[in-house]
Amino acid sequence: MSAAFTLGNLAGVIAIRPEDALLTAELQAGSEEAFSHLIAQYHGPVYSLISRVLNDPSDAPDITQDVFIKVFRGIRGFHGDSSLRTWIYRIALREASNQRRWWSRHRGREVTIEAPADCDEQQNPLCLKDTLADEHASPFEAAAHEEIRARVESELRQLPEPFRTVVILRDLEGMAYDEIAEILGAQLGTVKSRLVRGRAMLRLRLGDFIAQSKAGSSRPHAQRFSPTAGRSPSPDRAALDPAACEEVV
């Protein structure tokens, strides 16, 4: 049985992309060093994906941890039918979907940060938001960039599924259409159609904000900030720049 298992693993590794083959073999052999390398390579992208797919991004750290636990436990069942990244992203989206369903069932029990949580030294009610407030000033550029990024992220989070996930995978994660189709188990035409509709919905939601951004950019010395500044853009990442949203077809 040991020989059969080894041959089965070997056949799976042969089907994997060359850059994944050695890492997969070491993971299936139980190498802690290989698993540390896997986390270092995929933790950031997986966390980014999950935080955008979830209704509440604060749950992203826990869900990301659950994803890598499932990857560790299930790596022996990975036979190279897809790339390692595709397999991991499938797990991530499944865990995020499970969390969204849980959130929908329990959202009625959530406690607002406006509710009194404690009292200060003078016995005045103290809300949770008061303990979270950051009173330090930040530079104008950072503030403007954060405002735009937060608005786009907020409106993106309001898009219905499956359009939100496709926009995230294509415009923020920079994935190719065929890889998105493989991750979602959908036809290529379906992926492209969802992307067009998702972008259109996002553009509609950002309509007022785009108008304000244009008005601001016409003033002297005004500067436009992209929510994806500092990152290498995908071919379509400009679709999430408020000033460019209306140009996307």
Side-chain angles (χ1 to χ4, degrees):
M1 177 176 290
S2 176
F5 177 79
T6 302
L7 288 174
N9 277 359
L10 180 59
V13 169
I14 291 175
I16 306 173
R17 295 185 305 177
E19 58 267 30
D20 291 339
L22 180 59
L23 178 60
T24 300
E26 292 180 350
L27 287 168
Q28 292 178 335
S31 169
E32 292 185 7
E33 183 178 352
F35 191 64
S36 296
H37 178 76
L38 180 81
I39 293 177
Q41 181 176 350
Y42 287 103
H43 184 277
V46 168
Y47 177 86
S48 176
L49 172 65
I50 290 175
S51 66
R52 291 185 169 104
V53 171
L54 290 178
N55 294 309
D56 184 357
S58 66
D59 290 329
D62 289 339
I63 304 304
T64 301
Q65 178 175 304
D66 291 343
V67 167
F68 284 102
I69 290 175
K70 283 181 166 49
V71 167
F72 180 76
R73 291 175 176 172
I75 190 63
R76 290 183 182 275
F78 174 65
H79 301 303
D81 298 327
S82 64
S83 71
L84 186 60
R85 181 172 82 153
T86 296
W87 182 68
I88 292 173
Y89 270 50
R90 282 176 182 165
I91 295 175
L93 288 176
R94 184 168 62 246
E95 291 301 303
S97 177
N98 291 339
Q99 176 63 19
R100 283 204 308 269
R101 285 195 293 269
W102 181 93
W103 189 86
S104 297
R105 291 195 302 267
H106 294 80
R107 63 182 302 180
R109 304 177 187 177
E110 63 185 13
V111 178
T112 174
I113 62 174
E114 303 287 343
D118 205 343
C119 295
D120 58 19
E121 296 179 355
Q122 286 73 39
Q123 299 302 309
N124 295 316
L126 185 64
C127 299
L128 180 60
K129 69 172 184 177
D130 298 325
T131 66
L132 299 176
D134 183 1
E135 299 178 355
H136 297 87
S138 59
F140 171 78
E141 289 81 6
H145 177 276
E146 177 61 23
E147 179 185 2
I148 293 175
R149 185 203 62 79
R151 178 61 180 270
V152 174
E153 295 273 6
S154 175
E155 297 299 343
L156 178 62
R157 194 165 285 115
Q158 299 305 313
L159 295 186
E161 291 293 355
F163 309 108
R164 175 170 56 173
T165 296
V166 173
V167 172
I168 291 171
L169 291 177
R170 177 62 181 172
D171 291 334
L172 295 180
E173 298 299 326
M175 288 188 171
Y177 290 111
D178 54 353
E179 188 173 11
I180 297 173
E182 189 175 4
I183 289 174
L184 300 179
Q187 296 294 322
L188 188 60
T190 300
V191 169
K192 292 182 178 181
S193 173
R194 290 175 181 175
L195 181 63
V196 170
R197 292 184 62 187
R199 286 174 176 172
M201 285 187 279
L202 181 59
R203 185 175 64 243
L204 183 62
R205 297 190 65 89
L206 288 169
D208 293 340
F209 193 64
I210 293 172
Q212 294 173 9
S213 178
K214 279 190 170 184
S217 65
S218 64
R219 299 170 187 165
H221 308 297
Q223 185 176 3
R224 181 181 298 161
F225 298 91
S226 168
T228 55
R231 286 184 270 172
S232 299
S234 73
D236 301 308
R237 189 162 286 175
L240 295 189
D241 187 333
C245 277
E246 64 178 9
E247 301 173 3
V248 177
V249 177

